[in-house]
Amino acid sequence: MLIDSFDRKVDYLRVSVTQRCNFRCQYCMPEKPFSWTPKENLLSYEQMFSFIKIAIDNGIKKIRITGGEPLVRDDLHKFIAMIHNYKSDIDLALTTNGYLLKSQIKKLKQAGLKRVNISIDSLNDDTFTYLTQKNVLKNIKEGIEAAIEAGIIVKLNSVVLKGINEEEILELYEFAKQKGIQIRFIEYMENKNAHSKLKTLASFDILKAISKKHLIEELPVKENSAAKLFKDESGYIFGIIEPYDDSFCKTCNRIRLSAEGDLIPCLYYEDSQNIKDSTNSKEKMEYILKDVIKNKPEKNKWSHTSSTKKEDNISSRAFYFTGG
Ligand code: SAM
Ligand code: SF4
């Protein structure tokens, strides 16, 4: 079992299989042109798998594949199958922008994928295109349908931004509810790579928008859930992810492996240790895993409280690098 210095059990590993992406979401990718890490500096699936086996043997129970956009690697199902065949009861999940999902979902499910989170921030073509810089909302909707039809557990993720998609909260909510899938609204986490003018909508305002039409009740905190969960009058459950709230880090159970092999204990901070040169040694990988968990920080510096310095609210970590 993996326990950090603040008595939190760490049993969730997020694995970024690539930094690359077919979108340029304003809250994730830099405005300026930038270069990708050369291929020789990235982990191969075999190297990632060597580490994953150690992580599972030490108590990791849930693995989420992320990126960049993980589905730009069209052989992803082979990697999913490697993990599934090693331990079939691992909770194996994927986070995707959904663009390439329709063509890959059957292979992914067959390989052992259990759940998929699809990011969709707008149901309006113009807003969607403005935010992602790709005019493909129709394909995302088809991806969502295909995942539901494939019988996989589907959730939607929506980052809510002031003045951009804040008027669409109810519409996104009803869209997910009507499909019988959970939606989680995410407060935008400020970071140096995002476009500078963006501002998050606080969870309070998200709830206010939904309360205009629905009677909402907060549910008891679920162990190891990043989202606060709420139920409406019909029993429909949705979530809000509040990184600016002090309680967000209290139940944090996760670490992240980047495509370069950086093992990252917290989404906010730059600290990490690289495993790339250690993937041929079980002992070295196990040592790094335990050391990173021992040094997992207590909490991030995003905060709604006025006592926090403005510059502290902006993380230097890139989301396309850590995988969110
Ligand atoms: N490309 C995939 C996708 O977009 O779902 C997976 C990677 S993306 C980095 C993972 C999640 O992080 C997405 O749900 C995305 O909306 C979210 N995300 C990215 N940048 C964010 C930010 N600055 N604040 C909050 N969420 C963010
Ligand atoms: Fe790509 Fe996902 Fe980042 Fe959007 S949030 S740019 S889809 S990695």
Side-chain angles (χ1 to χ4, degrees):
M1 198 189 286
L2 299 162
I3 311 271
D4 77 1
S5 310
F6 302 95
D7 223 21
R8 294 172 297 196
K9 187 166 117 192
V10 176
D11 58 7
Y12 178 13
L13 172 68
R14 295 176 68 104
V15 179
S16 169
V17 293
T18 181
Q19 299 176 345
R20 288 170 192 263
C21 188
N22 37 21
F23 285 14
R24 291 287 177 273
C25 298
Q26 295 202 21
Y27 45 69
C28 178
M29 289 272 180
E31 266 166 300
K32 289 186 243 100
F34 57 102
S35 54
W36 303 111
T37 306
K39 205 168 174 197
E40 62 272 19
N41 294 350
L42 301 175
L43 295 183
S44 63
Y45 279 154
E46 286 69 28
Q47 286 175 310
M48 285 180 196
F49 183 52
S50 310
F51 177 77
I52 285 171
K53 285 190 281 187
I54 304 289
I56 292 175
D57 294 348
N58 277 277
I60 291 294
K61 302 234 168 339
K62 174 173 178 177
I63 295 177
R64 177 173 297 279
I65 309 298
T66 176
E69 173 47 40
L71 297 186
V72 299
R73 298 191 66 166
D74 59 8
D75 57 353
L76 189 70
H77 60 285
K78 292 184 187 157
F79 183 52
I80 299 271
M82 285 158 92
I83 304 170
H84 177 73
N85 294 340
Y86 185 67
K87 202 162 191 292
S88 61
D89 61 352
I90 285 290
D91 185 358
L92 201 42
L94 170 77
T95 298
T96 170
N97 63 28
Y99 181 45
L100 299 170
L101 193 57
K102 189 177 168 187
S103 58
Q104 295 187 33
I105 187 70
K106 284 204 183 115
K107 278 189 290 186
L108 291 165
K109 184 165 186 233
Q110 261 166 19
L113 188 72
K114 298 198 170 76
R115 45 176 93 228
V116 60
N117 286 10
I118 305 167
S119 304
I120 180 164
D121 305 324
S122 175
L123 294 167
N124 172 289
D125 275 310
D126 292 339
T127 312
F128 184 91
T129 306
Y130 171 73
L131 265 174
T132 61
Q133 303 182 47
K134 192 116 178 171
N135 186 1
V136 293
L137 177 60
K138 182 171 163 280
N139 304 62
I140 312 310
K141 288 183 180 167
E142 287 173 4
I144 295 171
E145 278 311 317
I148 295 171
E149 264 169 39
I152 209 154
I153 302 167
V154 181
K155 284 185 189 161
L156 302 183
N157 285 348
S158 297
V159 177
V160 195
L161 296 159
K162 259 190 197 151
I164 299 181
N165 60 349
E166 64 174 295
E167 299 300 332
E168 284 193 64
I169 293 170
L170 256 177
E171 202 185 331
L172 284 159
Y173 178 92
E174 302 295 355
F175 175 81
K177 183 173 172 176
Q178 184 259 324
K179 294 195 180 303
I181 56 183
Q182 197 181 105
I183 188 163
R184 289 131 32 104
F185 295 100
I186 307 175
E187 288 181 332
Y188 159 60
M189 291 167 244
E190 288 195 52
N191 66 92
K192 283 188 179 148
N193 300 278
H195 297 207
S196 53
K197 59 194 177 299
L198 304 177
K199 290 275 166 278
T200 192
L201 204 71
S203 64
F204 172 80
D205 295 309
I206 297 170
L207 285 173
K208 208 160 93 184
I210 300 169
S211 303
K212 281 185 190 154
K213 282 238 172 116
H214 296 281
L215 215 60
I216 291 166
E217 171 196 341
E218 184 169 346
L219 297 174
V221 179
K222 216 172 137 196
E223 202 195 345
N224 297 343
S225 169
K228 274 191 191 162
L229 295 178
F230 301 85
K231 190 168 78 170
D232 75 8
E233 68 291 347
S234 68
Y236 174 67
I237 294 176
F238 67 99
I240 302 187
I241 298 182
E242 302 179 350
Y244 292 78
D245 191 273
D246 274 351
S247 62
F248 181 71
C249 301
K250 281 200 182 122
T251 54
C252 182
N253 63 336
R254 62 203 61 192
I255 49 169
R256 295 167 169 84
L257 180 66
S258 78
E260 292 78 358
D262 287 344
L263 195 60
I264 304 166
C266 174
L267 185 59
Y268 178 94
Y269 296 95
E270 278 296 316
D271 306 280
S272 64
Q273 290 190 47
N274 195 282
I275 62 152
K276 192 168 190 312
D277 294 334
S278 307
T279 50
N280 51 7
S281 160
K282 222 177 137 180
E283 290 70 32
K284 279 190 193 161
M285 283 190 287
E286 202 164 67
Y287 177 82
I288 295 175
L289 172 66
K290 290 185 175 162
D291 204 42
V292 163
I293 289 176
K294 194 173 100 202
N295 291 308
K296 189 169 158 60
E298 186 179 12
K299 54 184 186 172
N300 70 49
K301 284 189 172 181
W302 286 300
S303 171
H304 278 313
T305 60
S306 51
S307 60
T308 307
K309 282 193 251 139
K310 176 95 184 74
E311 62 270 24
D312 277 352
N313 257 341
I314 305 174
S315 166
S316 47
R317 272 276 184 222
F319 274 69
Y320 64 87
F321 175 87
T322 59

